[in-house]
Amino acid sequence: MAYDMTRYACTVCSYGYHPMKGDPENGIPPGTAFEDLPDNWRCPWCGASKEQFVPEKEEQSDVRREDS
Amino acid sequence: MNTTLRDNIDWVGYVDWTIRDFHGYNTDRGVTYNAYLIRDEKTALVDTVKAPFADRLLQSIAALTDPAEVDYVVCNHAEPDHAGGMSQVLEVLPNATLACNKKCKAALSKHYDSSGWKTHIVATGDTLPLGRRTLRFIETPMVHWPESMFTYIPEEKLLFSMDAFGQHYASSQRFDDEVPLCTVMEEAKTYYANIVMPFGRQVAKVLEEAAKLDIEMIAPSHGVIWRSHAPAIVEAYTNWSTCRPKPKVLVIYDTMWDSTGRMARAIHEGASLPGVAAELIHIRSSSLTRIAAEVLDAAAIAFGSSTLNQGMLPMAGAVLTYLKGLKPVAKAGMAFGSYGWSKGGPEAVDEYMKAMKWEVLREPIRAQYRPTSEVLDECRTAGRLLAGKAREMAADRKAGERLCVDP
């Protein structure tokens, strides 16, 4: 099964969730699709809930890129 | 008082000498709310002040220019200590357009009736030419709120850094070289620990962006302006945001009948080794604000509480609740404390340390009623363990960074 690698942006603080990176500090391994994040997962920057995220393209101009 | 930053760029803020409680932050040296007026072909005000002092801000503006001449009011941060005066200011400045980012506009509209405000939305990279000088905007989300933003004047190498690099420090002078530097740095550290610490990752990113700018002067929205020591505060922020601890051990405790106090002193005695700064902090003789500041650059922390009603003492709980929200990263720790007939105090502390992802060095040290000489020896040994760990952590400059900075 192909992973959905769509990046999502937090509408509150602009944190970008990268499925490739995951959120290892909070127990989310790299390669976890946004859809597969647990419902109680919170934005590691500001604490916003999953529903407050949008696919990055929808808010592209507003998102600080997290590329490293 | 010299209030001039550059030719026709002036501080027009307010010094709040008497405030001692800033939403729970002990402001022992008072607070300033900094606003800045830039007069050029166009005139811009950067930020306002807390609502009760808006009149004073308007008086300071009127002393420099006709209020009708103000073309823009920049809002770098929607929090009421900076935007509280916005309604009054926009009412009195008839030709002013509010310049802020999209999130700031949304936040302001929740706080105030902004329906009549002329607003110009800006984003990172946008500029507002004033004549000889230009305002350039850099969004800095979560340093300190989602809408937080820097405003930069490239022609003057001047950065309006909002809460970043600020200090709660009322003084008769406005510049860092006009006041004792150790006091400014102490207040900057206290401010970072109590306000900025949870956003260390974002601070690290912002510092990367700031490094691309040519900066001579940093004008924060609280405290004195960094004119002579800007590199020093940037270096301090780099150290704090990348979690570089000092070889420092804290023994923080609360105690009922001094059993936990005796244990604390024994741990402190053990930790007082050459090259290690060991500090003893009795919670009820200190404050949340001071404790947070000490935790910021400590490597290892012993935290003790007697047992009360099968849990921690309430003030120990308050400190740990506060610290958990501030997210101090890359700490080593251990719990200790006394109990009578049921356990609970040190165990609850231990759970908090694990929840904060500190490296817990050993199981809690417990004493029933009174610490025996064996328990006190165990405390001294644990103190030496903490001191050794603190030295090791301070020597490994990158240890904290691995844990607290995004790759």
Side-chain angles (χ1 to χ4, degrees):
Chain A
M1 191 184 83
Y3 289 116
D4 181 356
M5 290 292 119
T6 308
R7 297 174 176 195
Y8 278 70
C10 175
T11 57
V12 176
C13 75
S14 308
Y15 166 84
Y17 177 76
H18 289 197
M20 295 292 278
K21 287 186 183 175
D23 179 15
E25 202 199 350
N26 294 298
I28 306 298
T32 304
F34 183 81
E35 295 303 325
D36 295 334
L37 290 170
D39 290 342
N40 62 358
W41 180 81
R42 295 296 182 115
C43 173
W45 278 21
C46 74
S49 61
K50 230 181 129 178
E51 299 81 67
Q52 289 170 288
F53 278 71
V54 293
E56 261 197 18
K57 59 184 184 301
E58 283 182 26
E59 227 204 1
Q60 213 146 32
S61 63
D62 208 39
V63 170
R64 267 160 51 95
R65 291 283 173 187
E66 295 299 301
D67 301 274
S68 52
Chain B
M1 177 170 71
N2 172 27
T3 53
T4 302
L5 284 74
R6 297 285 203 218
D7 184 34
N8 284 324
I9 301 182
D10 294 273
W11 178 89
V12 288
Y14 181 76
V15 181
D16 195 348
W17 287 97
T18 57
I19 186 171
R20 289 294 177 270
D21 180 346
F22 187 97
H23 61 52
Y25 182 135
N26 288 17
T27 49
D28 294 337
R29 290 190 170 100
V31 168
T32 80
Y33 313 104
N34 297 341
Y36 301 96
L37 191 71
I38 304 138
R39 287 171 291 157
D40 208 307
E41 287 162 33
K42 299 262 187 194
T43 295
L45 174 70
V46 175
D47 289 320
T48 74
V49 295
K50 209 167 156 182
F53 312 119
D55 283 349
R56 299 294 298 270
L57 166 66
L58 289 165
Q59 281 168 24
S60 300
I61 294 170
L64 295 169
T65 190
D66 176 353
E69 294 287 317
V70 180
D71 300 282
Y72 300 107
V73 178
V74 175
C75 184
N76 280 330
H77 183 18
E79 196 168 7
D81 49 338
H82 309 296
M86 194 60 76
S87 296
Q88 276 168 274
V89 165
L90 289 176
E91 211 167 279
V92 175
L93 307 178
N95 300 314
T97 297
L98 169 68
C100 67
N101 64 43
K102 201 164 79 180
K103 290 183 200 304
C104 190
K105 182 174 190 269
L108 288 170
S109 73
K110 302 277 184 192
H111 280 89
Y112 315 103
D113 176 10
S114 62
S115 51
W117 299 357
K118 286 175 284 182
T119 307
H120 174 69
I121 297 293
V122 299
T124 294
D126 287 356
T127 55
L128 211 50
L130 300 179
R132 285 194 299 124
R133 279 79 68 96
T134 314
L135 302 182
R136 194 198 294 171
F137 305 103
I138 302 143
E139 288 166 280
T140 59
M142 299 319 290
V143 181
H144 150 220
W145 279 13
E147 82 297 342
S148 292
M149 180 172 86
F150 288 175
T151 297
Y152 175 61
I153 303 185
E155 295 86 353
E156 299 287 4
K157 302 177 182 179
L158 169 57
L159 181 71
F160 297 104
S161 63
M162 180 250 328
D163 281 344
F165 312 117
Q167 332 96 45
H168 281 329
Y169 178 28
S171 75
S172 60
Q173 307 298 326
R174 299 278 58 84
F175 294 95
D176 58 351
D177 49 25
E178 299 174 320
V179 292
L181 183 62
C182 60
T183 306
V184 184
M185 290 306 293
E186 181 191 338
E187 291 302 339
K189 181 184 165 194
T190 303
Y191 189 91
Y192 184 96
N194 285 275
I195 304 286
V196 186
M197 199 191 320
F199 315 113
R201 286 166 192 271
Q202 294 90 305
V203 170
K205 283 184 189 300
V206 165
L207 289 173
E208 271 174 38
E209 291 300 310
K212 296 173 195 161
L213 305 175
D214 192 359
I215 297 170
E216 278 181 3
M217 195 186 288
I218 298 174
S221 54
H222 293 293
V224 295
I225 296 155
W226 301 96
R227 174 171 74 179
S228 295
H229 303 288
I233 188 63
V234 171
E235 190 193 346
Y237 263 57
T238 303
N239 285 335
W240 295 330
S241 66
T242 53
C243 309
R244 286 179 190 161
K246 292 187 170 166
K248 181 171 141 182
V249 175
L250 301 182
V251 183
I252 304 172
Y253 71 101
D254 197 0
T255 184
M256 285 174 75
W257 297 108
D258 203 37
S259 289
T260 303
R262 287 173 195 211
M263 297 169 81
R265 291 190 293 276
I267 295 169
H268 180 251
E269 194 188 318
S272 298
L273 293 180
V276 175
E279 297 181 16
L280 185 66
I281 300 174
H282 176 220
I283 290 168
R284 281 179 291 126
S285 310
S286 187
S287 71
L288 292 173
T289 309
R290 185 63 30 222
I291 291 170
E294 292 302 334
V295 165
L296 175 63
D297 58 2
I301 297 164
F303 198 107
S305 173
S306 326
T307 301
L308 177 73
N309 300 329
Q310 301 177 50
M312 276 183 275
L313 286 169
M315 293 310 292
V319 170
L320 288 172
T321 301
Y322 186 55
L323 288 179
K324 192 173 171 218
L326 292 174
K327 300 183 186 166
V329 179
K331 308 291 176 199
M334 59 153 285
F336 65 97
S338 63
Y339 67 98
W341 55 96
S342 72
K343 292 181 180 177
E347 291 75 11
V349 171
D350 186 65
E351 276 172 33
Y352 256 96
M353 286 186 172
K354 286 171 180 158
M356 288 191 281
K357 296 174 185 157
W358 292 6
E359 184 185 346
V360 176
L361 296 179
R362 54 158 295 160
E363 75 283 3
I365 305 181
R366 305 175 179 91
Q368 188 174 23
Y369 289 118
R370 270 294 191 240
T372 59
S373 59
E374 288 77 24
V375 168
L376 292 175
D377 278 342
E378 197 183 352
C379 287
R380 286 183 202 98
T381 305
R384 287 192 289 276
L385 174 72
L386 290 166
K389 184 69 185 177
R391 275 193 196 134
E392 187 188 302
M393 288 167 74
D396 183 358
R397 303 272 293 166
K398 297 282 175 188
E401 205 168 316
R402 283 194 291 273
L403 290 167
C404 73
V405 177
D406 288 331

